[in-house]
Amino acid sequence: MAARSVFRSGLFNGRVAIVTGGATGIGKAITAELLQLGCRVVIASRKSERLEAAVDELSQLIISSSSASITAVCCNIRHEDQVRNMVASTLRQYGRIDYLVNNGGGQFSSPAANMSLKGWNAVIDTNLTGTFLCCREVYNEWMKDHGGTIVNIIADMWRGFPGMAHTGAARAAVENLTKSLAIEWASSGVRINSIAPGSIFSKTAMENYKDLGPMMFQMAVPCIPAKRLGFPEEISPAVCFLLSPAASFISGATLKVDAGQSLYDSVWEIPDHSAWPAPPEGENVCALREVMKELKPKL
């Protein structure tokens, strides 16, 4: 059962949203909260079985007096024709698209030196190109003439993303894309912002990372000022805020929902080594050597 929304009921009555990756994890929490607020939500995913399960589960959240509804479209956001079909089918069914939440994405853990070009391209095509295709299609087919709001889900990649360099590069690019589109589309009444979650635990994420999942989440906790993991239900209210009239003067911004994790520490450990080039010789290097000699007996 989804957490109860902190926003007033009926906030999104009569509105229509597309949520990519809306069947699992963060996307599912976003969908659940939008439904509680009266929104009509179209969820998209590559896997039809996940979509069907999510529709069955989330439709139980809708009370009889609500204007909310949930439908699903099978869509691989890497494929332009499927994105076009997703947008066209939403407009056929509901006649409008007020909100787009680009949550769909994927990555795998690997040192950059071990990544194949196929693996790199798969992540870039999904996380960056897929986001662009969804934004462009929704804009051209509806928001250009009617306005609307877009929220892109990115990641905590402010200090790089060692171990997942492909998704770090893609998410950083999406943040810059968000800024560009906020300016280009402002005259159409389109607001577009990003949300950067920290380490968020979900059953789906645990399953996706397989045997690495428990270790990855456990290693993240000491690097989070809150000293606990975040949860999808702590991301969905931030999305709803940026979609809502309360954020009517916010565009081109990124909201970090990470308990300060991006300010604190990194889970990537660098072992002691002597591989770095020596510094230029001079009085400061000599002075440091003398300081170190004095310190060693005391250590």
Side-chain angles (χ1 to χ4, degrees):
M1 183 64 68
R4 186 174 179 83
S5 178
V6 299
F7 299 98
R8 65 172 174 83
S9 62
L11 180 62
F12 295 138
N13 280 353
R15 304 298 184 183
V16 176
I18 294 175
V19 181
T20 64
T24 56
I26 291 174
K28 183 179 175 183
I30 294 168
T31 300
E33 188 148 4
L34 288 172
L35 291 173
Q36 290 182 53
L37 300 174
C39 197
R40 292 173 287 181
V41 184
V42 175
I43 58 173
S45 174
R46 291 184 298 115
K47 299 181 178 180
S48 57
E49 64 274 13
R50 284 185 170 181
L51 288 171
E52 292 168 3
V55 169
D56 288 344
E57 178 184 347
L58 295 177
S59 60
Q60 304 302 312
L61 299 175
I62 303 172
I63 60 176
S64 58
S65 59
S66 174
S67 64
S69 66
I70 179 171
T71 54
V73 176
C74 197
C75 176
N76 185 335
I77 60 173
R78 293 163 58 184
H79 297 158
E80 187 175 26
D81 58 337
Q82 293 188 31
V83 172
R84 284 176 171 163
N85 175 68
M86 174 185 70
V87 173
S89 63
T90 301
L91 289 172
R92 281 195 303 270
Q93 182 166 6
Y94 294 115
R96 62 189 296 155
I97 301 172
D98 300 283
Y99 311 130
L100 168 65
V101 181
N102 284 307
N103 169 75
Q107 55 273 323
F108 56 89
S109 180
S110 172
N114 297 342
M115 285 181 193
S116 67
L117 179 60
K118 180 180 178 181
W120 170 271
N121 284 340
V123 172
I124 299 296
D125 286 349
T126 302
N127 295 354
L128 174 56
T129 306
T131 296
F132 164 72
L133 289 173
C134 292
C135 287
R136 188 195 66 185
E137 195 66 18
V138 165
Y139 176 76
N140 284 337
E141 296 303 312
W142 181 260
M143 291 187 180
K144 181 178 181 179
D145 296 322
H146 304 89
T149 310
I150 300 172
V151 174
N152 295 324
I153 307 299
I154 54 171
D156 176 8
M157 42 65 191
W158 314 107
R159 294 164 300 171
F161 212 137
M164 293 190 194
H166 45 15
T167 198
R171 306 296 190 175
V174 170
E175 200 222 4
N176 195 272
L177 175 67
T178 298
K179 294 175 180 177
S180 298
L181 299 184
I183 300 304
E184 289 192 21
W185 297 350
S187 62
S188 292
V190 175
R191 293 189 303 104
I192 175 168
N193 296 289
S194 296
I195 285 181
S199 295
I200 305 298
F201 177 87
S202 71
K203 293 189 297 182
T204 308
M206 180 70 79
E207 293 165 1
N208 287 345
Y209 293 123
K210 301 181 172 62
D211 293 341
L212 287 174
M215 180 185 67
M216 288 173 60
F217 284 118
Q218 186 176 17
M219 289 176 61
V221 172
C223 301
I224 305 170
K227 300 303 178 184
R228 70 164 175 85
L229 297 167
F231 292 88
E233 293 77 14
E234 293 177 297
I235 304 301
S236 59
V239 173
C240 290
F241 163 70
L242 288 176
L243 294 176
S244 78
S248 60
F249 209 56
I250 302 175
S251 194
T254 297
L255 174 60
K256 298 177 183 179
V257 187
D258 65 359
Q261 183 176 357
S262 56
L263 305 172
Y264 189 53
D265 203 352
S266 173
V267 298
W268 187 270
E269 293 187 9
I270 300 175
D272 290 337
H273 65 86
S274 58
W276 208 255
E281 288 292 334
E283 63 177 359
N284 295 308
V285 171
C286 293
L288 178 59
R289 288 194 184 115
E290 291 301 317
V291 169
M292 296 307 293
K293 284 180 185 177
E294 293 177 7
L295 283 176
K296 278 184 179 179
K298 301 176 182 179
L299 295 176

